[in-house]
């Protein structure tokens, strides 16, 4: 849709399309917020403008700031403050199977998924942080609505 950005909210689509939005099925990719936050923190895009070989080192203040700036997944589903249920969820941990189900629904051939993004973390910081109680608590607090709405509690 022209005029809508890559990570647009459903509200942005509604503002652009109006009632025509009802002609579309909502498909939402969903990822465990902890994995999402750590992936974002160690994302290659953070290396733009940095020296070659840049690898972000975990800084609790930077991580907390990143969490505050990162929208909740449920925020993408609101139109005029009301959450709309997506027709399909593409769960990151089951992406190939979920995407294949969507393809079948639309009578499309099954997709082949390349791996495009690679983490800048080659030292295992993500694995350590994934089990750090303070990191887990921060993420679960910030994204509690996502964990509840999408049933992501383990």
């Amino acid at each position: 849709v022209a005029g809508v950005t890559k990570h647009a909210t459903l509200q942005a689509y509604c503002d652009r399309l109006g009632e025509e939005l009802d002609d579309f099925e909502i498909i939402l990719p969903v990822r465990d917020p902890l994995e999402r936050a750590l992936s974002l923190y160690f994302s290659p895009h953070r290396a733009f403008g940095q020296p070659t070989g840049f690898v972000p080192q975990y800084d609790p203040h930077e991580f907390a700031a990143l969490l505050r700036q990162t929208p909740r997944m449920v925020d993408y589903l609101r139109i005029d403050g009301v959450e709309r249920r997506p027709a399909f969820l593409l769960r990151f941990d089951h992406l190939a199977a979920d995407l294949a189900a969507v393809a079948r629904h639309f009578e499309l051939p099954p997709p082949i998924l390349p791996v495009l993004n690679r983490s800048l973390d080659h030292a295992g910081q993500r694995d350590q942080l994934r089990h750090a109680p303070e990191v887990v608590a921060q993420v679960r607090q910030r994204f509690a609505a996502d964990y509840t709405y999408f049933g992501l509690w383990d």
Side-chain angles (χ1 to χ4, degrees):
V1 175
V4 178
T5 62
K6 178 180 174 184
H7 295 284
T9 63
L10 203 50
Q11 183 68 57
Y13 280 101
C14 183
D15 293 346
R16 183 78 173 131
L17 295 171
E19 291 180 14
E20 287 181 56
L21 180 65
D22 293 334
D23 296 338
F24 295 88
E25 294 194 59
I26 301 167
I27 302 171
L28 182 74
V30 177
R31 189 173 192 183
D32 179 290
L34 179 60
E35 294 299 323
R36 183 174 168 234
L38 292 173
S39 178
L40 182 58
Y41 191 80
F42 291 104
S43 174
H45 86 275
R46 294 191 68 217
F48 294 143
Q50 299 292 334
T52 302
F54 170 79
V55 176
Q57 297 300 308
Y58 176 71
D59 177 298
H61 301 292
E62 282 184 26
F63 187 72
L66 179 81
L67 292 182
R68 286 190 300 274
Q69 296 167 2
T70 303
R72 295 168 189 90
M73 290 178 284
V74 294
D75 294 338
Y76 288 96
L77 293 175
R78 289 195 187 98
I79 297 176
D80 297 327
V82 178
E83 293 164 0
R84 294 213 15 202
R85 278 271 174 211
F88 298 96
L89 291 179
L90 301 177
R91 299 162 299 164
F92 189 82
D93 292 342
H94 305 282
L95 187 57
D98 289 350
L99 199 51
V102 170
R104 279 191 304 277
H105 174 79
F106 290 106
E107 299 178 357
L108 298 170
I112 298 171
L113 299 176
V115 176
L116 299 177
N117 290 341
R118 300 265 187 226
S119 174
L120 291 175
D121 174 32
H122 303 292
Q125 292 180 83
R126 278 176 66 172
D127 290 336
Q128 292 171 355
L129 293 169
R130 188 177 287 121
H131 303 288
E134 67 279 3
V135 170
V136 172
Q138 271 185 300
V139 171
R140 286 196 172 180
Q141 180 181 0
R142 168 71 177 127
F143 297 104
D146 289 342
Y147 280 105
T148 301
Y149 188 86
F150 298 108
L152 297 171
W153 293 107
D154 34 341

